[in-house]
């Protein structure tokens, strides 16, 4: 039987056997049958199957008749041995498929011999045999062999072979496989190549890099037979990756099943040329002269090799990938002579190198890098400085591989003096890569990451371990209510006893004139004091007051300063007097009056009051409001977060951490709490804890731009720039997608409104400029900046712009407050009143009503002023300035007793406004009242 030439692929020796196999293990192959053969050729009658592996023919099946339905039954078996020292090592097995060729057999005729021609080819991937499988059954697609090189065939296979592959024992144990790793490297193409490159059939465009294996071994991965394309359309996406085989009869069989090059955004890549200014250059380069490989090389690394790989990357992040053009014309057919340095230089032309940053593979969870890498002229000293590699990989391959067969060896005449053409080629190759801007696009992928990423379950467990259990705070509502009721009862009891003493002295008939009442009051006080009954009444109230302090005000520790004590006593005094009146009114009227009204401030208002106090730098008052929110609802996550953020800025990082951890304990999936826990941990220099919190946040919500950004900033502070870069890139990708979605939405909305065809964001730059100019938040922030710098003129202009917008700014409340204060400063009281009223309508607070009250007082609208100040007092009765203006209004109205009482509160609450204090004293002197400080 005559065997057609060119059916076998070139045999390439293994560079290194990676995991060891103790003894040769037979790999049994059975070709069961073929289906739909007539899709390849309609009149096919007899066929046989040739099985090849690693360049060797394993056998031919007997000639088989093709059934009418296009099927053929072969039941042909053959085998080869897998062994560490033989030609078919595990290294070969992992990257080379089984090649099956279906041959069409034309029977002998009278004067013509039997004719055998190739019909189709298929490949079978043997990788599953290394993944814990002892037998596999596959349906391998059969690709047609063209009758001539110019014939165009349909790329999809419609026929196929049913093949079974098996081994008697596992090639790798479960332990060996799980401790190792599968490394895949895909060289896609070289773009923007030098002009001197031609599509001459005598030129072989090659690239190579080496992977460290166990011990001192190096595993070179060679990419040959790059196809030079002059230009035209870009390479399609997605497109299949191809096997590292030599030319075969059916080009479609070179496609690796279910393995594709999918491309992606330049900005999301791991290599170079990822900036926006590189986009145009890359897009042009992809449609001009280029070398295309699209080839994937695979190798299995055992546990020792994985450790070496990880160690090498840690020692030197940049790995060289060499590129060259080698001439096949000088390949001799005779015996190969010894290669010297001069001969090597004659053969390797356009010797370049790209430096691939492998450090990304040391980031947790990362198992793939892909990108573009610039190609530079190969200089040994520069390569050694950057990669610690001492010599060219191609030089090693000359001796290790039989490159004479590929046209890379030296012929007996190669030691002659180089001719003129060789000299010119060598000279023109220098620096041509840099001048042309050549770059390689490649992908390096691992089956498992070198550094495993912590699982979400583990992160949850670690977060729980970092948050110590704390006893739940006991709710105080019922206790506070009970002690207030007890206080009412004590007041009523004392009132009954005092009334009884009055009746003993004066009878039940009450005097009506003022002088008699004053005399009876003096006699009653004398009797109570001399008899000791007054002291007894005080003792009855004392215990209930102590309980109110503990249960209602949660105060159990000593005060640090006299000022703190005085402020607390003032607040307590007002509260006790109010409830005394409630109790007495209920007793004297004989009717059931409503209990003490709860604070009218909602949780949202308390938050607003806290922010107001914080903006005014009244940190003590702000802290009080934040605590009141927590006391109101101890299970409010946002209350703990807000108070923690306040503590982090102004008080204590440890206290802040406790607040954030309390929030996480209430909801372990609250990303804001997790991120703030991380920030507090960094503040306290607990960096290991911080990493866990940031990692958990990114794992919990991978779409969070803030989580990736904060995590990147953390890694940057730890000098882990590779991980920081990856996190920042993820944040940029999410931000870009968000911006594009919003931009497209605005364009579509505008187009629908105007009936125009929507334009793309890139062709309508005015849209973005209009985000920036017409956004009230920008003007608000500028106004705040000017206000804090005491530049009130520009602040006023910015704030007036903000309130002129139809759309409200985010912090409109503070715009109103500060603009109103500027108007008061400039004595524009009418405008101040209007602004503060707008603020009251938007979000009322003590400060907004105070502003209205001040403006009305200056406008001499006393009734409106008092109403506004009363509203302010109802929201917060501890604001000294409110009491001060109420004192002024009472003085203006001739109400001396109320004025004195208001002034006392003003002093006790520590009014800091000296001008207001002077104004009160002047007013009292003017209206002829006594010294209010008395």
């Amino acid at each position: 039987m005559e065997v057609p030439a060119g059916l076998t692929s070139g045999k390439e020796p293994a560079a290194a056997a990676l995991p060891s196999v103790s003894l040769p293990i037979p790999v049994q192959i059975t070709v069961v049958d073929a289906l739909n053969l007539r899709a390849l050729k309609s009149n096919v009658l007899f066929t046989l199957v040739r099985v090849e592996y690693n360049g060797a023919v394993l056998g031919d099946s007997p000639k088989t008749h093709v059934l009418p339905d296009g099927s053929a039954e072969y039941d042909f078996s053959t085998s080869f041995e897998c062994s560490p020292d033989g030609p078919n090592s595990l290294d070969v097995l992992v990257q080379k498929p089984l090649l099956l060729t279906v041959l069409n057999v034309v029977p002998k005729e009278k004067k013509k011999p039997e004719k055998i021609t190739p019909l189709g080819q298929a490949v079978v991937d043997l990788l599953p045999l290394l993944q814990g499988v002892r037998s596999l059954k596959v349906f391998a697609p059969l690709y047609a062999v063209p009758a001539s090189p110019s014939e165009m065939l349909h790329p999809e296979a419609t026929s196929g072979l049913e093949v079974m592959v098996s081994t008697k024992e596992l090639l790798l144990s479960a332990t060996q496989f799980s401790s190792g790793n599968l490394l895949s490297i895909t060289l896609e193409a070289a773009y923007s190549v030098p002009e001197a490159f031609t599509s001459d059939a005598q030129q072989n465009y090659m690239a190579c890099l080496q992977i460290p294996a166990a011990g001192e071994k190096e595993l070179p991965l060679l990419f040959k037979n790059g196809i030079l394309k002059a230009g035209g359309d870009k390479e399609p996406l997605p497109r299949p990756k191809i096997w590292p085989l030599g030319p075969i009869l059916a080009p479609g069989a070179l496609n690796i099943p279910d393995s594709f090059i999918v491309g992606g955004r330049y900005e999301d890549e791991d290599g170079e040329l990822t900036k926006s200014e590189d986009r145009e250059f890359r897009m042009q380069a992809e449609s001009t002269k280029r070398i295309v490989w699209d080839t994937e090389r695979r190798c299995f690394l055992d546990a020792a090799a994985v450790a070496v790989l990880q160690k090498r990357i840690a020692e030197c992040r940049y790995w060289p990938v060499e590129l060259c053009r080698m001439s096949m014309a000088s390949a001799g057919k005779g015996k190969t002579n010894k290669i010297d340095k001069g001969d090597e230089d004659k053969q390797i032309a356009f010797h370049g190198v790209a430096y691939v940053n492998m450090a990304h593979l040391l980031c947790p969870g990362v198992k793939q890098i892909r990108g573009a890498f610039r190609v530079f002229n190969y200089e040994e000293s520069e390569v050694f400085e950057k990669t610690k590699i001492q010599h060219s990989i191609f030089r090693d391959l000359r001796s290790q591989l039989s490159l004479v067969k590929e046209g890379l060896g030296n012929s007996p005449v190669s030691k002659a003096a180089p001719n003129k053409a060789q000299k010119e080629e060598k000279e023109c190759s220098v620096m041509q890569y840099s001048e042309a801007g050549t770059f390689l696009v490649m992908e390096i992928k691992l089956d498992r990451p070198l550094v495993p990423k912590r699982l979400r379950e583990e992160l949850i467990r670690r977060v729980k371990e970092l948050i110590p259990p704390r006893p739940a705070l006991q709710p105080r509502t019922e206790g506070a209510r009970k002690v207030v009721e007890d206080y009412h009862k004590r007041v009523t009891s004392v009132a009954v006893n005092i009334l009884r003493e009055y009746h003993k002295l004066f009878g039940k008939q009450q005097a009506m004139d003022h002088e008699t009442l004053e005399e009876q009051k003096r006699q009653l006080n004398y009797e109570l004091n001399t008899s000791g009954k007054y002291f007894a009444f005080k003792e009855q109230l004392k215990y209930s007051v102590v309980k109110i302090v503990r249960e209602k005000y949660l105060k159990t520790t000593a005060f640090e300063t006299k000022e703190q004590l005085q402020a607390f006593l003032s607040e307590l005094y007002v509260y006790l007097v109010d409830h005394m009146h409630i109790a007495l009114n209920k007793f004297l009227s004989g009717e059931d009056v409503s209990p003490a009204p709860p604070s009218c401030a909602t949780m949202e208002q308390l938050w607003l009051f806290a922010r107001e106090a914080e903006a005014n730098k009244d940190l003590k008052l702000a802290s009080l409001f934040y605590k009141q929110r927590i006391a109101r609802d101890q299970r409010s996550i946002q209350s703990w977060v807000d108070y923690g953020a306040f503590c982090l800025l102004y008080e204590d990082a440890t206290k802040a951490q406790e607040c954030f951890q309390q929030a996480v304990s209430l909801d372990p999936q609250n990303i804001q709490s997790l991120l703030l826990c991380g920030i507090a941990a960094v503040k306290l220099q607990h960096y290991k804890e911080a990493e866990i919190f940031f990692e958990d946040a990114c794992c919990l919500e991978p779409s969070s731009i803030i989580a990736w950004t904060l995590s990147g900033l953390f890694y940057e502070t730890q000098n882990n720039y590779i991980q920081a870069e990856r996190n920042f890139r993820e944040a940029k990708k999410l931000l870009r997608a968000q911006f594009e979605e919003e931009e497209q939405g605005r364009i579509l909305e505008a187009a629908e409104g105007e009936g125009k065809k929507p334009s793309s964001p890139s062709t309508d730059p005015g849209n973005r400029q209009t985000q920036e100019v017409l956004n009230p938040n920008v003007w608000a922030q500028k106004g705040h900046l000017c206000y804090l710098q005491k530049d009130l003129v520009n602040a006023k202009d910015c704030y007036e712009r903000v309130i002129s917008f139809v759309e409200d700014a985010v912090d409109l409340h503070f715009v109103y407050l500060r603009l109103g204060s500027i108007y008061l400063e400039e004595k524009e009281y009418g405008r101040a009143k209007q602004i503060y009223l707008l603020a009251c309508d938007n979000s009322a607070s003590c400060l907004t009503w105070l502003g209205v009250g001040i403006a009305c007082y200056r406008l001499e609208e006393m009734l409106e002023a008092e109403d506004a100040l009363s509203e302010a007092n109802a929201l917060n009765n501890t604001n000294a300035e409110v009491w001060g203006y109420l004192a002024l209004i009472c003085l203006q109205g001739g109400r001396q007793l109320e004025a004195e009482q208001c002034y006392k509160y003003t002093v006790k609450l520590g009014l800091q406004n000296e001008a207001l204090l002077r104004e009160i004293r002047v007013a009292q002197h003017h209206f002829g009242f006594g010294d209010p400080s008395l």
Side-chain angles (χ1 to χ4, degrees):
M1 182 184 302
E2 180 184 354
V3 179
L7 292 185
T8 62
S9 60
K11 182 176 179 181
E12 181 179 307
L18 295 176
S20 60
V21 179
S22 56
L23 294 173
I25 298 177
V27 178
Q28 185 77 20
I29 301 135
T30 301
V31 182
V32 181
D33 55 20
L35 298 177
N36 204 18
L37 288 178
R38 289 207 163 97
L40 301 176
K41 191 174 182 179
S42 59
N43 59 349
V44 62
L45 296 176
F46 296 93
T47 60
L48 61 86
V49 174
R50 175 166 296 164
V51 182
E52 303 173 65
Y53 190 71
N54 194 20
V57 177
L58 303 181
D60 292 349
S61 72
K63 182 173 62 175
T64 303
H65 180 67
V66 177
L67 299 177
D69 61 359
S71 63
E73 296 184 2
Y74 300 109
D75 288 328
F76 170 69
S77 296
T78 185
S79 66
F80 68 89
E81 289 187 340
C82 178
S83 64
D85 302 321
N88 301 321
S89 64
L90 291 183
D91 175 41
V92 173
L93 201 73
V94 78
Q95 64 181 313
K96 289 194 174 183
L98 193 68
L99 180 61
L100 307 168
T101 305
V102 174
L103 302 173
N104 181 27
V105 182
V106 179
K108 293 181 181 180
E109 296 183 3
K110 293 182 179 180
K111 296 182 179 180
K112 295 181 180 179
E114 186 179 60
K115 184 180 179 181
I116 298 178
T117 57
L119 192 62
Q121 287 186 310
V123 294
V124 176
D125 191 356
L126 300 181
L127 179 62
L129 296 179
L130 275 71
Q131 298 173 323
V133 174
R134 286 200 312 176
S135 64
L136 63 150
K137 184 177 182 180
V138 297
F139 181 78
L142 196 58
Y143 295 88
V145 174
S148 65
S150 61
E151 182 181 358
M152 298 297 293
L153 297 174
H154 196 277
E156 296 181 0
T158 57
S159 57
L161 295 173
E162 187 176 347
V163 184
M164 298 178 63
V165 183
S166 63
T167 59
K168 291 185 177 180
E169 55 186 283
L170 291 174
L171 298 182
L172 285 177
S173 67
T175 303
Q176 286 176 315
F177 177 73
S178 61
S179 62
N181 212 325
L182 180 67
L183 175 66
S184 304
I185 299 179
T186 302
L187 181 61
E188 297 180 19
Y191 294 100
S192 190
V193 297
E195 286 297 325
F197 280 12
T198 63
S199 55
D200 186 353
Q202 299 300 319
Q203 305 294 341
N204 193 335
Y205 297 100
M206 309 175 71
C208 188
L209 74 159
Q210 60 186 12
I211 301 297
E216 300 299 322
K217 295 180 180 179
E218 298 291 340
L219 183 64
L221 298 180
L222 179 66
F223 296 86
K224 302 183 296 182
N225 306 318
I227 301 172
L228 182 70
K229 296 187 177 181
D233 295 335
K234 297 180 180 180
E235 299 300 312
L237 289 172
R239 61 184 187 273
K241 299 178 181 180
I242 64 174
W243 292 104
L245 303 176
I248 63 175
L249 298 176
L254 285 175
N255 297 343
I256 302 176
D258 302 320
S259 187
F260 298 93
I261 296 169
V262 296
R265 289 178 176 268
Y266 303 141
E267 298 89 344
D268 299 336
E269 295 177 351
D270 304 277
E272 304 158 6
L273 301 170
T274 59
K275 299 178 181 178
S276 56
E277 54 265 30
D278 300 319
R279 169 179 286 273
E280 185 176 354
F281 165 68
R282 289 190 61 175
M283 292 181 68
Q284 290 178 353
E286 288 174 358
S287 58
T288 55
K289 186 184 290 188
R290 58 196 182 272
I291 304 170
V292 179
W293 286 274
D294 286 348
T295 301
E296 180 183 80
R297 299 293 301 256
R298 305 186 301 206
C299 55
F300 183 83
L301 306 178
D302 62 10
V306 170
V308 172
L309 176 67
Q310 193 165 344
K311 180 174 179 290
R312 293 280 184 88
I313 297 175
E315 290 173 348
C316 186
R317 65 177 60 181
Y318 291 106
W319 285 25
V321 178
E322 295 183 44
L323 176 67
C324 76
R325 186 182 78 178
M326 288 190 175
S327 174
M328 301 174 64
S330 62
K333 298 181 180 179
K335 185 177 179 181
T336 305
N337 292 335
K338 184 178 179 181
I339 304 169
D340 58 24
K341 186 70 168 70
D343 293 327
E344 180 182 330
D345 287 342
K346 295 169 195 174
Q347 291 297 315
I348 302 178
F350 292 95
H351 194 182
V353 61
Y355 301 103
V356 178
N357 189 349
M358 302 279 282
H360 294 281
L361 293 177
L362 296 185
C363 296
V366 174
K367 56 183 181 180
Q368 174 179 326
I369 58 176
R370 179 186 179 275
F373 302 92
R374 293 185 183 276
V375 179
F376 303 93
N377 186 55
Y378 188 93
E379 295 289 344
E380 280 194 356
S381 59
E382 183 181 346
V383 173
F384 176 75
E385 180 182 355
K386 201 157 189 175
T387 70
K388 308 307 179 197
I389 303 296
Q390 297 184 351
H391 48 76
S392 169
I393 308 170
F394 283 121
R395 192 181 74 182
D396 292 341
L397 287 180
R398 283 176 163 275
S399 57
Q400 291 182 16
L401 305 177
S402 303
L403 295 185
V404 173
K405 185 175 182 180
E406 298 292 343
L408 301 182
N410 287 331
S411 65
V413 299
S414 64
K415 285 196 175 183
N419 58 32
K420 184 179 179 180
Q422 289 175 326
K423 285 183 178 180
E424 289 178 353
E425 185 180 72
K426 182 180 177 182
E427 290 172 0
C428 74
S429 68
V430 178
M431 299 304 291
Q432 290 244 342
Y433 287 123
S434 299
E435 293 171 2
T438 305
F439 60 93
L440 289 176
V441 176
M442 61 187 304
E443 174 193 80
I444 300 174
K445 184 169 65 174
L446 290 161
D447 193 44
R448 288 184 290 272
L450 293 175
V451 181
K453 186 176 183 179
R454 281 187 280 249
L455 297 176
R456 171 76 177 135
E457 294 75 16
E458 181 188 356
L459 289 169
I460 292 174
R461 179 181 58 80
R462 294 290 301 275
V463 168
K464 286 184 179 179
E465 291 172 354
L466 293 176
I467 300 178
R470 292 188 178 87
L473 297 177
Q474 296 298 324
R476 303 272 180 173
T477 306
E478 291 300 322
R481 182 182 300 168
K482 184 177 180 182
V483 298
V484 172
E485 291 174 355
D486 181 63
Y487 175 70
H488 285 190
K489 291 177 182 178
R490 296 287 180 183
V491 169
T492 303
S493 175
V494 170
V496 169
N497 289 329
I498 292 175
L499 187 60
R500 186 179 294 116
E501 293 298 323
Y502 177 85
H503 289 160
K504 284 182 181 180
L505 290 175
F506 310 110
K508 295 188 177 181
Q509 186 66 33
Q510 184 177 350
M512 300 302 295
D513 61 287
H514 179 72
E515 291 182 0
T516 304
L517 283 174
E518 287 295 321
E519 178 61 24
Q520 288 181 348
K521 177 181 177 182
R522 186 189 63 78
Q523 292 183 29
L524 178 62
N525 285 335
Y526 177 80
E527 176 64 23
L528 293 175
N529 278 290
T530 55
S531 64
K533 292 177 181 178
Y534 178 76
F535 177 78
F537 293 156
K538 285 202 306 181
E539 287 299 311
Q540 290 181 33
L541 293 174
K542 179 179 178 181
Y543 183 65
S544 60
V545 171
V546 170
K547 288 198 295 183
I548 284 177
V549 172
R550 289 178 177 173
E551 297 293 331
K552 179 68 178 177
Y553 287 89
L554 308 177
K555 189 65 184 173
T556 58
T557 58
F559 292 92
E560 296 179 359
T561 63
K562 290 183 179 180
E563 290 77 10
Q564 291 180 352
L565 174 61
Q566 190 63 40
F568 175 74
L569 290 177
S570 299
E571 182 180 355
L572 178 63
Y573 175 77
V574 173
Y575 182 82
L576 293 175
V577 169
D578 286 344
H579 280 272
M580 179 190 72
H581 289 156
I582 292 171
L584 291 176
N585 288 336
K586 179 180 178 181
F587 168 67
L588 294 175
S589 67
E591 298 176 359
D592 187 17
V593 298
S594 58
S599 172
C600 61
T602 64
M603 293 286 284
E604 291 74 17
Q605 285 178 316
L606 287 173
W607 178 66
L608 179 64
F609 301 163
R611 290 177 62 219
E612 285 179 337
E614 192 175 341
N616 293 332
K617 301 303 179 185
D618 190 346
L619 303 183
K620 177 184 174 183
L621 183 60
S623 179
L624 176 64
F625 284 129
Y626 281 124
K627 290 176 182 176
Q628 285 182 3
R629 289 182 74 213
I630 292 175
R632 185 78 63 84
D633 183 3
Q634 296 175 17
R635 295 196 62 81
S636 169
I637 295 174
Q638 196 59 48
S639 298
W640 286 106
V641 166
D642 292 338
Y643 182 48
F646 172 80
C647 294
L648 191 65
L649 285 174
Y650 301 109
E651 293 188 355
D652 182 12
T654 302
K655 187 185 294 185
Q657 186 185 49
E658 292 174 0
C659 292
F660 299 145
Q661 289 182 349
Q662 181 67 21
V664 171
S665 66
L666 290 171
D667 182 7
Q669 298 193 20
N670 185 281
I671 188 170
Q672 185 184 25
S673 307
L674 288 169
L675 291 173
L676 288 169
C677 277
I679 293 172
V682 171
K683 188 86 171 176
L684 295 169
Q685 298 183 352
H686 300 163
Y687 299 119
K688 292 294 184 182
E689 296 181 13
E691 183 176 15
I692 292 172
F693 285 120
F694 287 129
E695 190 175 344
D696 189 28
C698 293
C699 182
L700 171 67
E701 196 167 326
S703 61
S704 170
I705 298 172
I706 294 177
W708 288 109
T709 302
L710 288 176
S711 182
L713 289 171
F714 164 74
Y715 283 116
E716 197 170 54
T717 63
Q718 301 301 299
N719 298 325
N720 188 346
Y721 298 112
I722 298 299
Q723 186 68 55
E725 180 189 338
R726 294 194 68 86
N727 288 18
F728 287 147
R729 190 174 65 212
E730 191 66 29
K732 288 179 183 177
K733 180 171 69 174
L734 293 168
L735 187 63
R736 184 173 59 250
Q738 176 181 306
F739 173 75
E740 289 177 355
E741 182 179 353
E742 293 174 355
E743 190 79 359
Q744 192 62 32
R746 282 191 292 269
I747 293 170
L748 289 173
E749 184 178 349
E752 289 174 1
E754 299 177 10
K756 295 180 180 179
K757 184 178 179 181
S759 58
S760 66
S762 59
T763 60
D764 192 6
N767 285 344
R768 186 172 182 180
Q769 184 179 358
T770 306
Q771 276 299 87
E772 295 171 357
V773 177
L774 299 182
N775 192 332
N777 295 316
V778 176
W779 288 107
Q781 292 302 317
K782 184 180 179 182
H784 295 329
L785 179 62
C786 294
Y787 184 87
L788 294 174
Q789 293 175 335
K790 308 299 183 184
D791 183 1
L792 300 186
V793 174
N794 285 320
K796 175 183 173 183
D797 178 65
C798 291
Y799 290 149
E800 287 175 340
R801 282 178 179 267
V802 172
I803 63 175
S804 68
F805 283 105
V806 175
E807 179 186 353
D808 289 340
V810 174
D811 56 350
L812 187 61
H813 180 81
F814 293 97
V815 171
Y816 284 143
L817 283 180
R818 287 175 172 172
L819 180 57
S821 71
I822 293 173
Y823 286 148
L824 289 178
E825 183 80 14
E826 296 178 347
K827 298 183 180 181
E828 297 184 55
Y829 302 124
R831 301 182 74 178
K833 176 183 176 182
Q834 295 303 317
I835 287 297
Y836 279 121
L837 284 173
L838 286 174
C840 292
D841 184 61
N842 181 65
S843 49
S845 70
C846 175
L847 296 185
T848 61
W849 282 115
L850 172 61
V852 174
I854 295 172
C856 290
Y857 177 78
R858 299 304 177 195
L859 292 169
E860 299 183 355
E861 299 171 353
M862 296 303 172
L863 290 177
E864 290 187 51
E866 186 169 2
D867 288 343
L869 292 170
S870 298
E871 290 289 341
N873 215 358
L875 290 171
N876 179 15
N877 60 5
T878 62
N879 188 296
E881 201 163 345
V882 173
W883 288 110
Y885 277 100
L886 282 172
L888 282 175
I889 291 174
C890 291
L891 286 171
Q892 292 278 359
R895 294 142 55 191
Q896 181 186 9
L897 186 61
E898 292 179 60
E900 289 183 0
Q901 187 67 28
C902 291
Y903 183 74
K904 287 180 181 178
Y905 286 140
T906 300
V907 174
K908 288 179 180 179
L909 292 171
L911 179 64
Q912 301 297 316
N913 189 335
E914 294 293 335
L916 180 58
L917 281 172
R918 287 194 301 270
E919 190 174 359
I920 295 172
R921 292 190 181 107
V922 169
Q924 187 180 33
H925 178 75
H926 175 74
F927 291 106
F929 296 135
D931 185 357
S933 62
L934 300 177

